[in-house]
């Protein structure tokens, strides 16, 4: 069977699957599941075109890895065919541990288990199935391979994960502020002392990359309506889990039912194969089919929350620099409880506060270094003549207040 296929991608054009092993990994059920998990979760509630999947994104990141390795080889850096395949595998599988609506799931069903750890677990399972052929890719993914720059291409300040999702998310949302010069950035990449650097000519493209990332966070990923949709989903899953724990039988697929009816700790998840087997069956369809059925559930909290999400009648969200006034929050709680005839305990599903944060550039975490003509390097924050680049190194925290629109 010919396994050297091409895929027509709307962002990059034709993407080639470069080896039989990569073809087999893409064909595996673990990876095919990503076709049914949206890359941007609830973002389609604001940007209707944002329906692309994690499957799209992973293939795009693999394509960028191939382009990057060609550029680095052209500049005299030794990268073997085996290392190229391993780097391709590492970036292809970097998001394979994502569940449906990942961040909502991590806050409710799987008790804080990080998707990166699940990705690592799945890669190790695949390595057994593929007779150890993923061993080098796993070392790159973990940062334990002797060529550090390959790890930086998978996970770092200028990794190909970010490069693809900024490019792809701006394409599908139509938010032009997120457009980056990915091709120019890749052509300006180099390696010095086993670390990725950007040649001096690429400094303006990097400035644009960092600013675009910041704008995409506030305009897309942390848009208040996106937050409202995610928060409703988190509350739905929490209520469903709460009801299940008291013996209420809820409509759910076997995979979703497993996580609703069992309290699974991080330790338990990684010790027993049964949890991963159910997790690998979960996608967006499990969640939304249940939410549609739960609209008519006798529990009025679960029913109301599900109707809020499916009818797009979401929380009103206020985003502020300072914590909301405690007296006002208390008044909102009391008014909501009275208007909806809720107990204090039930009211927490409808009025609550939280904190969101964004850091466009973390200078302490594998800096973006600019390679000067004299073969020395300088951090982008110091090399740039844009005064706001240095400020992107600060974590911006904002407070959110959520409450129903009836108040």
């Amino acid at each position: 069977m010919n396994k050297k296929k091409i895929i027509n991608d709307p962002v990059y054009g034709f993407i080639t699957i470069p080896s039989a092993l990569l073809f087999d990994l893409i064909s595996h059920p673990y990876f095919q599941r990503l076709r049914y998990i949206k890359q941007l979760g609830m973002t389609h509630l604001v940007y209707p075109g944002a329906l692309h999947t994690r499957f799209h994104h992973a293939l795009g990141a693999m394509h960028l890895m191939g382009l990057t390795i060609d550029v680095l080889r052209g500049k005299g850096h030794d990268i073997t065919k085996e290392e190229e395949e391993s780097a391709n595998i590492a970036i292809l599988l970097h998001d394979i541990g994502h569940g449906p609506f990942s961040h909502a799931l991590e806050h409710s069903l799987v008790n804080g288990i990080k998707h990166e750890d699940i990705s690592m677990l799945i890669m190790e399972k695949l390595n057994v199935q593929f007779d150890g052929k993923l061993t080098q890719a796993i070392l790159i993914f973990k940062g334990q391979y002797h060529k550090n720059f390959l790890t930086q291409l998978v996970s770092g300040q200028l990794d190909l994960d970010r490069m693809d999702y900024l490019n792809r998310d701006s394409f599908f949302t139509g938010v032009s502020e997120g457009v980056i010069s990915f091709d120019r950035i890749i052509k300006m990449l180099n390696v010095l002392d086993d670390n990725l650097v950007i040649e001096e000519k690429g400094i303006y493209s990097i400035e644009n990359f960092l600013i675009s990332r910041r704008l995409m966070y506030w305009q897309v990923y942390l848009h208040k309506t996106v937050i409202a949709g995610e928060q409703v989903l988190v509350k739905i899953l929490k209520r469903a889990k709460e009801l299940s724990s008291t013996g209420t039988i809820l409509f759910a697929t076997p995979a979703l039912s497993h996580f609703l009816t069992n309290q699974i700790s991080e330790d338990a998840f990684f010790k027993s194969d049964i949890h991963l087997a159910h997790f690998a069956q979960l996608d967006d369809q499990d969640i939304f089919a249940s939410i549609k059925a739960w609209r008519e559930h006798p529990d009025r909290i679960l029913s109301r929350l599900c109707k809020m999400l499916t009818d797009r009648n979401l929380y009103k969200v206020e985003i502020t620099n300072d914590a909301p006034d405690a007296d006002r929050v208390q008044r909102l709680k009391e008014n909501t409880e009275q208007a909806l005839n809720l107990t204090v305990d039930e009211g927490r599903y409808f009025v609550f506060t939280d904190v969101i944060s964004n850091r466009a550039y973390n200078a302490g975490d594998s800096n973006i270094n600019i390679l000067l003509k004299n073969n020395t390097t300088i951090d982008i924050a110091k090399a740039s003549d844009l005064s706001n680049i240095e400020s992107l190194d600060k974590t911006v925290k904002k407070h959110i207040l959520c409450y129903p629109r009836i108040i």
Side-chain angles (χ1 to χ4, degrees):
M1 179 184 175
N2 174 24
K3 295 185 177 181
K4 212 155 192 194
K5 302 289 185 183
I6 58 171
I7 294 167
N8 196 347
D9 180 72
V11 179
Y12 306 121
F14 288 109
I15 290 175
T16 302
I17 298 174
S19 73
L21 176 55
L22 281 154
F23 177 89
D24 289 338
L25 287 168
I26 290 167
S27 302
H28 195 281
Y30 281 156
F31 192 81
Q32 288 293 313
R33 180 183 71 101
L34 299 182
R35 286 182 183 273
Y36 309 105
I37 296 178
K38 288 193 292 296
Q39 173 73 10
L40 290 182
M42 289 295 172
T43 307
H44 66 283
L45 295 173
V46 183
Y47 301 101
L51 295 168
H52 55 300
T53 65
R54 295 200 177 274
F55 184 86
H56 290 142
H57 163 59
L59 290 176
M62 180 192 73
H63 173 68
L64 296 184
M65 179 66 81
L67 297 180
T68 303
I69 286 173
D70 285 347
V71 166
L72 294 179
R73 276 202 186 119
K75 293 178 181 179
H77 301 292
D78 179 42
I79 301 167
T80 67
K81 278 288 178 191
E82 291 75 17
E83 286 169 340
E84 178 180 13
E85 184 173 67
S86 294
N88 272 321
I89 291 169
I91 196 69
L92 180 77
L93 302 181
H94 76 283
D95 269 353
I96 201 167
H98 266 290
F101 308 103
S102 282
H103 305 296
L105 213 70
E106 286 171 15
H107 284 96
S108 47
L109 292 187
V110 291
N111 297 330
I113 301 168
K114 294 189 180 119
H115 69 266
E116 294 92 344
D117 295 335
I118 300 176
S119 292
M120 190 70 261
L121 177 63
I122 291 175
M123 285 175 75
E124 285 166 351
K125 298 283 183 195
L126 286 169
N127 197 30
V128 173
Q129 291 182 31
F130 285 87
D131 302 320
K133 292 177 184 172
L134 277 66
T135 301
Q136 191 169 260
I138 288 170
L139 291 175
I140 292 171
F141 188 83
K142 286 181 171 179
Q144 295 172 356
Y145 192 65
H146 66 273
K147 292 185 179 178
N148 185 51
F149 69 89
L150 292 176
T151 296
Q152 290 172 345
L153 288 172
V154 175
S155 178
Q157 292 293 317
L158 268 181
D159 61 44
L160 301 173
D161 171 27
R162 292 181 192 187
M163 205 102 56
D164 180 79
Y165 78 61
L166 284 175
N167 216 24
R168 191 168 297 278
D169 296 348
S170 61
F171 178 90
F172 280 99
T173 57
V175 176
S176 58
E177 289 87 347
V179 176
I180 57 168
S181 305
F182 75 94
D183 43 357
R184 179 161 174 79
I185 292 173
I186 286 173
K187 284 184 169 60
M188 293 297 112
L189 283 171
N190 211 326
V191 177
L192 181 70
D193 300 329
D194 198 31
N195 286 303
L196 275 183
V197 292
I198 287 285
E199 292 167 5
E200 194 172 357
K201 290 179 291 186
I203 189 167
Y204 301 118
S205 298
I206 298 302
E207 288 175 349
N208 179 53
F209 170 81
L210 292 173
I211 292 166
S212 294
R213 188 160 180 257
R214 176 181 176 274
L215 291 172
M216 285 292 284
Y217 264 86
W218 293 120
Q219 203 164 326
V220 177
Y221 311 131
L222 296 176
H223 187 289
K224 65 180 183 178
T225 306
V226 175
I227 290 170
E230 288 178 349
Q231 290 291 345
V232 175
L233 180 58
V234 167
K235 297 300 182 190
I236 287 170
L237 294 174
K238 281 193 172 176
R239 184 63 175 180
K241 185 143 189 170
E242 191 176 277
L243 291 171
S244 295
S245 68
T246 61
T248 303
I249 305 297
L250 293 175
F251 168 87
T253 60
L256 180 56
S257 184
H258 179 78
F259 291 99
L260 288 175
T261 54
N262 294 290
Q263 294 290 340
I264 303 163
S265 67
E266 187 173 357
D267 189 48
F269 187 94
F270 291 102
K271 274 188 176 170
S272 173
D273 287 347
I274 187 69
H275 304 307
L276 180 61
H278 282 292
F279 185 86
Q281 294 298 316
L282 269 182
D283 59 40
D284 289 4
Q285 296 168 115
D286 295 73
I287 305 293
F288 241 87
S290 297
I291 288 171
K292 284 168 69 178
W294 296 342
R295 277 177 60 102
E296 309 307 325
H297 194 273
D299 180 78
R300 61 202 181 97
I301 306 302
L302 182 62
S303 171
R304 180 180 283 274
L305 289 168
C306 290
K307 285 173 182 170
M308 284 171 64
L309 186 58
T310 54
D311 297 345
R312 201 186 176 278
N313 179 24
L314 308 171
Y315 298 118
K316 187 164 176 57
V317 175
E318 295 178 8
I319 302 179
T320 53
N321 293 324
D322 301 313
D325 179 68
D327 290 339
R328 178 164 176 256
V329 174
Q330 186 57 36
R331 281 197 306 275
L332 282 168
K333 283 181 178 175
E334 290 169 359
N335 291 343
T336 301
E337 287 158 14
Q338 186 175 4
L340 301 179
N341 192 25
L342 305 172
T343 65
V344 172
D345 190 50
E346 291 169 339
R348 67 194 165 91
Y349 284 100
F350 297 96
V351 181
F352 52 92
T353 59
D354 206 342
V355 176
I356 56 175
S357 61
N358 173 26
R359 187 175 189 176
Y361 175 52
N362 185 352
D365 176 23
S366 67
N367 304 30
I368 298 176
N369 284 318
I370 304 300
L371 179 64
L372 303 177
K373 290 185 175 68
N374 61 7
N375 225 33
T376 61
T377 61
I378 183 171
D379 187 274
I380 178 67
K382 294 183 173 59
S384 173
D385 54 12
L386 278 181
S387 57
N388 63 343
I389 289 290
E390 206 153 355
S391 70
L392 296 180
D393 186 26
K394 296 181 177 65
T395 299
V396 178
K397 285 190 177 178
K398 291 185 183 283
H399 297 264
I400 64 169
L401 168 62
C402 301
Y403 56 92
R405 293 183 176 274
I406 58 164
I407 302 302

